[in-house]
Amino acid sequence: MMDSGAGGTAESSPLPSSSVLPLITVEEWRVSASTKLSKTATLTADTSSLNILRYGSRWSEIRGKILEAFVPEGFPNSVTPDYVPFQIWDSLQGLSTYIRSMLSTQALLSAIGVGEKSATVIGATFQWFLRDFTGMLGGILFTFYQGSNLDNNAKMWRLVADFMNDLGMLMDLISPLFPSALFLIVCLGSLSRSFTGVASGATRAALTQHFSLENNAADISAKEGSQETIATMVGMALGMLLAHLTRGYPLAVWVSFLLLTFFHMYANYKAVRCLSLTTLNSKRGSILLQNFIKNGQVVTPQKVSKMEHIFPSLANPWSSSNGISLHRRVYLGVKVSGLNHHDMVELSGSTISHYKKAKYLLLEREGVVRAIIHKQATPADILQSFIHALVLASLTEQSKAVHIESRLWMDENYNDFITKLRSAGWEVERLLIPSIVWRAQWDYVSAEQKIK
C-alpha cells in the first residue's frame, strides 16, 4: 500500500504477494487561482490494483465550497487588489441600509394607516401605487438626463446614489409627522430612491468590469449578489429586532436612524476611497497630465485615487491652483452651428497651421478650450484631443501663442506620456466621457490656392 504522507489519506485495493511495479501515476491538481495550483490526489495503478492518495482534510474542502459561493472563482488572483476592501465596506453600508429600512418602512406603513380602523384597503393601495408610479417615472427621467454620465464618474455617482437613498428613507421616517403632506413626502421619497436604483445599478456594472481580471465579470456580479443576500438577511433580522426594541420610543428611533445613517455615509466614503480605477476620465486625465508636466512622471492609479475629487463640485474651475480642475475648462464635441464668424476665421488659420493631420480642432476663448471632433475620429483621437486641450488650457496664463506651444508639446511629449501611462497600469484605449453627439467634417482652402 502507498504511504499516505503528511495531510493525505490512502485508499487501495489488495495487492498481490509479489511486488509489482506501477504502470502509471496520475496527479490531480485544483486550480485555486490563475497562477496557483494545489495537489488534491495522486492515483497509482498497476496490473492488479489502484492506489489513491488524497491530500487535505474534509473540513478544508467544505470550507472551500462555502467560500466559492461568495467569492469569484480563482480568488484572489482573479480580481483586482481593491476588491476585498471595497466589498467589506460595501457590505457594511448595505447592512446599515437594511437595518434602517425596517425603521423607515414601519413609519411609512403607520403613516398610510396600516393598523388603524379608519384606514381602508383601497386607500392604502392607491397611495402605494402612486408612490411606485412616481419612482418609476423619476427613474426614467434620471436615466434620460444622466445615463451617459454614470460610467465616467462611477465614484461620484456611487456616493450620490447612496445619499439619495438616505434621503428617501428620511422622507419615509418623517411621513407620520406631517399627515397633511403625506402624499408629497411619500412621492419625494420614492423619487429619491429611484435615482438610487439607476445610479447604483449603472455604477455597479462599471465597477464589476474594473474588478474583473480574467473576463469573469459575470461571476463577480453573481458572487456580489450572494454577498448582498447575506447582508440583507442579517440586516433585516437586526432591523426587526431594533424596530421591536424602539417601538413606542420615537426618540430612540430617530437616534438609531441617524447614527446608522452617519455610519452608512462613512462606509460608503471608505468604500469609494478604496477604489483604484485604471480607466481614464476627465478628472484623472487632468491629474495625470498636470503631474507629468511638472516632473515628467506618471502617477500610479493608487496615488491618483487619493488625489481624485469624489464629491460633486460646483466650485469655480479657476479656484484650483494645482490644476486638478483644469478639465472643467475643456469642452469636447461642441456644435459647429454655434460658432460665429470670428471663430470660423480663427479655425481656418489654425487648421492649416496646427491641425493638418489631427482629427480635431481646438478653439480657445478666455481660458476655455472647445474641441471640435471630426466625424471619423477614433477613441484614440478623442483621447488625444482631450490631452491637447488640457495642455492648451494650462498655457493660457503663460503664453499668447498657445496653439504653437501646445502643438510643440504634443509633438515632443504625447507619445512618451501615453507610453508611461500604459507602463503604470492605465488603460489608454479610450477616454471615459459622455457620448460625443456632435461631430464635424471640414475642408479648407489656403490663401495661395485661393489666389490661383
Side-chain angles (χ1 to χ4, degrees), residues 133-148:
F133 180 81
T134 304
M136 295 175 188
L137 184 61
I140 294 174
L141 293 175
F142 181 76
T143 303
F144 174 74
Y145 283 106
Q146 292 293 341
S148 62

Side-chain angles (χ1 to χ4, degrees), residues 42-168:
T42 300
L43 286 75
T44 304
D46 55 29
T47 56
S48 58
S49 65
L50 172 65
N51 191 45
I52 303 177
L53 174 64
R54 300 186 185 278
Y55 297 89
S57 63
R58 290 291 182 183
W59 168 245
S60 299
E61 184 177 352
I62 294 174
R63 184 178 57 184
K65 291 292 184 183
I66 295 175
L67 191 63
E68 286 178 1
F70 299 99
V71 297
E73 187 175 353
F75 175 86
N77 290 357
S78 62
V79 292
T80 56
D82 53 357
Y83 174 80
V84 172
F86 176 82
Q87 289 301 124
I88 291 175
W89 285 110
D90 187 55
S91 298
L92 289 174
Q93 67 87 16
L95 184 66
S96 68
T97 296
Y98 298 120
I99 296 175
R100 290 178 302 141
S101 68
M102 299 303 294
L103 300 177
S104 61
T105 302
Q106 184 183 46
L108 178 61
L109 293 175
S110 173
I112 63 177
V114 174
E116 297 183 4
K117 295 181 179 179
S118 59
T120 62
V121 175
I122 187 63
T125 303
F126 183 69
Q127 290 181 359
W128 203 268
F129 165 76
L130 290 178
R131 170 181 176 271
D132 289 346
F133 180 81
T134 304
M136 295 175 188
L137 184 61
I140 294 174
L141 293 175
F142 181 76
T143 303
F144 174 74
Y145 283 106
Q146 292 293 341
S148 62
N149 195 37
L150 298 175
D151 187 47
N152 57 296
N153 282 313
K155 289 185 178 182
M156 184 196 74
W157 284 112
R158 179 76 182 183
L159 289 178
V160 170
D162 286 294
F163 173 77
M164 297 302 290
N165 190 41
D166 292 340
L167 189 60

